[in-house]
Amino acid sequence: MTRSKSITSAAFPLRLVARLWGDRMSAVLTLVSIAILVALVPVFEWAILDAHWAVAAPADCRGGGACWAFIAAKLRLILFGLYPPEAQWRAILVIALILALVLLTLSPRLWGGRLMLVWSAGIAVMLVLMGGGIFGLSPVPTSKWGGLPVTLLLAVLSLGLAFPFAVILALGRRGSLPVVRGLSIFLIEIVRGLPLVGLLFVAAILLPLFLPADWTIDKLGRTLAALTVFAAAYLAEVIRGGLQGLPPGQVEAAQALGIPYWKAVWHIVLPQAIQKVIPPLTNTAIVMVKNTSLVLIVGVFDMLSAARSAATDPAWPAPSIEAYLFVAGIYFIICFGIARYSRHLETGIKSRSQS
Amino acid sequence: MTQAIEVTELNKYYGSYHALRDVDFAVAERERVVICGPSGSGKSTLIRCLNRLERHDSGAIRIRGIELGDDLRNIEEVRREAGMVFQHFNLFPHLSVLENCALPQILSRRTPRKEAEARARDYLDRVRILDQAAKFPGQLSGGQQQRAAIARALCMEPKIMLFDEPTSALDPEMISEVLETMVTLAEGGMTMVVVTHEMGFARRVADRVVYMEAGQIVETAPPDRFFDAPQDERSRRFLSKLVAV
């Protein structure tokens, strides 16, 4: 006791020494930390000190550190894929629109039917902007869409479209109608039992073989459908967890007040069920954002595929690490943002349940 | 004159358990009836059948002349006529107290928001918690929550109020504030059916006391006669176990 007291009251450098080396465990951890820092020195040299930030010709990047000049040169390709350069402003506008809608959605106070209308309108505008063909916009086929807008559109649309299906599946699985319950369980378990890659192959390659030849559903659309089905199964189980945690008295109170079933679901049941499952919901959202990168195996040109194809340019000496790091950075920003936002929501809920 | 509540030969089973046995029960308009009895006697089941939170297996229930059956429209109409207050309040925890009272009106009667909020404020004022309107249920005491729940039910302007053990989940010092609210309501002429163990309240407010045991109505009597000269052996035994009234 007296020893620790004398340490805490000592001068700062002395306290630091005591913290870092005070006992055997601290000493070991300090040594390990130093070893990790030393090992990171070459990484730091490669990424910052020896890096080429701007070069006159691709060949100047040979040798030395990271070639960030490559990212600058290929930024357009990585972010927008094969989208026609003269129409690129439309893709930029789509990204801005998605970000604006996401920002608008952050405040729970605005949640409701009206916000869903705004989203629907926004998505219609985005699809028109990306695809063109009307209002004097030059048409761009979906095979030319690529990069960040495709990644964001797939993530937002698959989660957004999956949500209502997930709610119906979750309610169905907990309901009293045996046929509906059986069907819900069957669908959820089938989809959860399949790998996403398998679903994507079925949607992109197998499905067109079975559909009539004149049924030309776009490949991007089919990929989105596969992602949606996949997300719906997982979201349904998350939401079911929230429904199970809801006291039966809540539904009884809504019934006793004469609130019709679907209105009670929308205003009373779902808001509470979702509040209870924000952490796993966040988890699913993050996983789905990253899952969109799997569409590259069926030839949809998302941000990761775009980065990969940019890295194959023979003019540049092996820049794939830089390209992947750059894309990883963007994914991290998106996923970390989702995680921070969910924590913000949880603190808001906590403050309401305590005086 | 039609009765507010008319129950004839009501039977209810939970699986093989016979929860209500041939119950006949009627409440006149503006009458206050207290139902008491030991736990498991079927009193909560009976009151929950009256607005179809529980489905009865045989017999008939008429609420202000509306036959309660599988017809959804009748069920909704009955629920508009009869408000209910629960043992555990069942306020909606994600909504403010004001919204707890306003939203149900909007959802089930399509009341315009302004009108709904004005009525919510009016009833919150009557149960004397208007100053808590902006708070969330979790921030209120048990007694305040139960008064908010009463206000919420009253906002639907019911003709009948059903109380299912409204004070059983409350700390002792909060029971009286809820009972006061209920007495005020009774004095205003509300038709009330109250399942409760508060015998003081029964004596003071009830027109009739109904004693239930094992799914049956054993005795029905005005409170003075029920407490001072119970007729049935079983009600005598029940009353002798209670602390002095």
Side-chain angles (χ1 to χ4, degrees), chain A residues 13 25 33 36 42 62 77 89 106-107 121 179 181 185 227 238-239 271 276 282 290 310-311 314 333-334:
Chain A
M25 192 61 189
S33 307
I36 290 173
R62 220 167 285 278
L77 181 58
W89 61 271
L106 291 187
S107 164
V179 178
R181 187 172 58 225
I185 294 174
L227 285 169
V238 171
I239 293 169
K276 285 178 199 298
T282 312
K290 292 185 294 186
I333 290 168
I334 296 172

Side-chain angles (χ1 to χ4, degrees), chain A residues 4-324:
Chain A
S4 69
K5 212 172 214 174
S6 68
I7 288 169
T8 46
S9 60
F12 176 71
L14 227 62
R15 263 189 298 166
L16 200 62
V17 169
R19 283 268 169 80
L20 294 179
W21 305 99
D23 55 76
R24 201 169 295 167
M25 192 61 189
S26 306
V28 169
L29 286 176
T30 305
L31 278 175
V32 170
S33 307
I34 289 176
I36 290 173
L37 284 176
V38 169
L40 281 176
V41 167
V43 176
F44 180 71
E45 276 180 343
W46 176 83
I48 310 286
L49 296 181
D50 298 345
H52 302 280
W53 295 95
V55 289
D60 294 349
C61 248
R62 220 167 285 278
C67 182
W68 299 122
F70 163 78
I71 300 294
K74 294 287 183 185
L75 191 62
R76 206 199 76 72
L77 181 58
I78 295 175
L79 287 185
F80 301 107
L82 300 174
Y83 207 76
E86 67 278 2
Q88 195 173 303
W89 61 271
R90 283 153 53 182
I92 295 173
L93 213 57
V94 166
I95 294 176
L97 209 54
I98 292 182
L99 289 182
L101 283 174
V102 166
L103 282 176
L104 196 67
T105 311
L106 291 187
S107 164
R109 227 174 297 164
L110 294 174
W111 293 357
R114 218 172 290 168
L115 187 64
M116 282 175 53
L117 283 182
V118 173
W119 265 100
S120 312
I123 282 166
V125 171
M126 284 180 219
L127 293 180
V128 167
L129 273 173
M130 283 301 279
I134 38 174
F135 305 127
L137 298 170
S138 57
V140 179
T142 54
S143 55
K144 294 265 185 206
W145 297 14
L148 188 57
V150 167
T151 292
L152 290 178
L153 276 175
L154 284 176
V156 166
L157 285 181
S158 66
L159 281 168
L161 293 174
F163 205 81
F165 292 113
V167 169
I168 290 168
L169 284 173
L171 288 172
R173 191 166 180 167
R174 276 179 56 77
S176 51
L177 300 170
V179 178
V180 176
R181 187 172 58 225
L183 198 66
S184 304
I185 294 174
F186 177 76
L187 288 173
I188 291 171
E189 296 306 338
I190 286 282
V191 173
R192 286 207 304 174
L194 290 173
L196 177 55
V197 173
L199 271 180
L200 285 170
F201 269 123
V202 169
I205 294 155
L206 236 46
L207 207 56
L209 299 181
F210 296 120
L211 291 178
D214 51 341
W215 273 42
T216 52
I217 303 174
D218 187 86
K219 181 153 89 177
L220 191 65
R222 294 194 308 261
T223 315
L224 175 64
L227 285 169
T228 302
V229 167
F230 190 76
Y234 279 85
L235 284 176
E237 284 299 279
V238 171
I239 293 169
R240 188 167 70 97
L243 293 175
Q244 263 165 352
L246 197 69
Q250 290 292 308
V251 176
E252 284 178 1
Q255 285 176 341
L257 289 159
I259 301 174
Y261 178 76
W262 283 108
K263 285 185 181 174
V265 167
W266 180 247
H267 291 277
I268 308 295
V269 173
L270 272 187
Q272 295 185 60
I274 287 169
Q275 279 183 5
K276 285 178 199 298
V277 291
I278 286 178
L281 217 51
T282 312
N283 212 17
T284 309
I286 289 176
V287 167
M288 280 314 294
V289 167
K290 292 185 294 186
N291 272 348
T292 58
S293 63
L294 285 174
V295 300
L296 81 93
I297 62 153
V298 290
V300 170
F301 219 60
D302 78 319
M303 187 170 55
L304 190 61
S305 339
R308 209 167 66 138
S309 76
T312 55
D313 186 342
W316 292 81
S320 46
I321 296 179
E322 290 86 335
Y324 286 136

Side-chain angles (χ1 to χ4, degrees), chain A residues 248-261 263-264 267-269 271-272 275 351-355, chain B residues 48 51 53 76 79 82-84 86 90-95 103-104 106-108 110 136 138-139 152-153 156:
Chain A
Q250 290 292 308
V251 176
E252 284 178 1
Q255 285 176 341
L257 289 159
I259 301 174
Y261 178 76
K263 285 185 181 174
H267 291 277
I268 308 295
V269 173
Q272 295 185 60
Q275 279 183 5
S351 70
R352 273 189 295 176
S353 55
Q354 285 155 10
S355 38
Chain B
R48 286 162 60 84
N51 65 350
L53 287 183
E76 282 183 4
R79 285 173 177 165
M84 186 174 235
F86 299 86
N90 297 351
L91 290 170
F92 304 128
H94 62 301
L95 302 175
L103 188 66
I106 297 168
L107 296 182
S108 73
R110 300 167 178 275
F136 287 89
Q139 299 167 325
R152 177 177 72 176
M156 306 303 294

